[in-house]
Amino acid sequence: MRRIVLVAAALVAVTGGLTAVASTAGAVDDKATCAAVNMAWTDLRNRIEALDGKGSIADLRQIYVDTAGKFDAAAATADQGALKDALNTAAAQLNRLETATNRDDFDGVMRDSAFTAAIDAAGTPCGL
């Protein structure tokens, strides 16, 4: 469980440089999309920290699947381009965790190079 939390912390660290940006309501530009991504990662981090190492795989899986939904929602309203594409890819990779039924399954997805590359790429258009 500790390793899962460390992997999650590393993912948060990768995207932690995102900054919230004020924008007009309904805006779909990259600044507004980056703000939504930042909020999604902040929520993910807060929920994982709240587990305090005591959560089950089902708890972790739900947190990541919820984050995928937030990425999907941000991508749905985003301008066409690299950020929208990266969010769609990252959401698809995060959704792979939905099928993880045990720690080995979960860790396998988290260590997969396609997963880590997609998560990294989601932050790149926001200046990471």
Side-chain angles (χ1 to χ4, degrees):
M1 179 60 75
R2 185 174 294 261
R3 187 167 78 204
I4 292 169
V5 172
L6 291 175
V7 169
L11 289 172
V12 171
V14 166
T15 60
L18 293 172
T19 57
V21 180
S23 62
T24 60
V28 294
D29 63 7
D30 282 357
K31 288 181 182 181
T33 303
C34 283
V37 171
N38 184 38
M39 289 183 352
W41 279 115
T42 298
D43 181 62
L44 176 133
R45 182 190 66 230
N46 290 343
R47 290 175 67 189
I48 289 173
E49 287 175 358
L51 291 177
D52 196 28
K54 298 175 183 133
S56 67
I57 292 298
D59 295 332
L60 285 170
R61 182 178 59 226
Q62 190 59 53
I63 291 169
Y64 282 97
V65 170
D66 290 350
T67 301
K70 291 173 185 177
F71 277 17
D72 279 333
T77 60
D79 288 337
Q80 292 296 324
L83 181 54
K84 182 179 188 93
D85 295 343
L87 288 173
N88 282 323
T89 302
Q93 289 295 323
L94 287 165
N95 277 322
R96 290 177 53 208
L97 292 167
E98 191 167 21
T99 62
T101 57
N102 59 50
R103 185 176 179 159
D104 289 338
D105 292 344
F106 193 89
D107 288 348
V109 173
M110 295 287 276
R111 284 187 298 234
D112 180 48
S113 61
F115 180 89
T116 55
I119 299 305
D120 289 345
T124 300
C126 291
L128 296 177

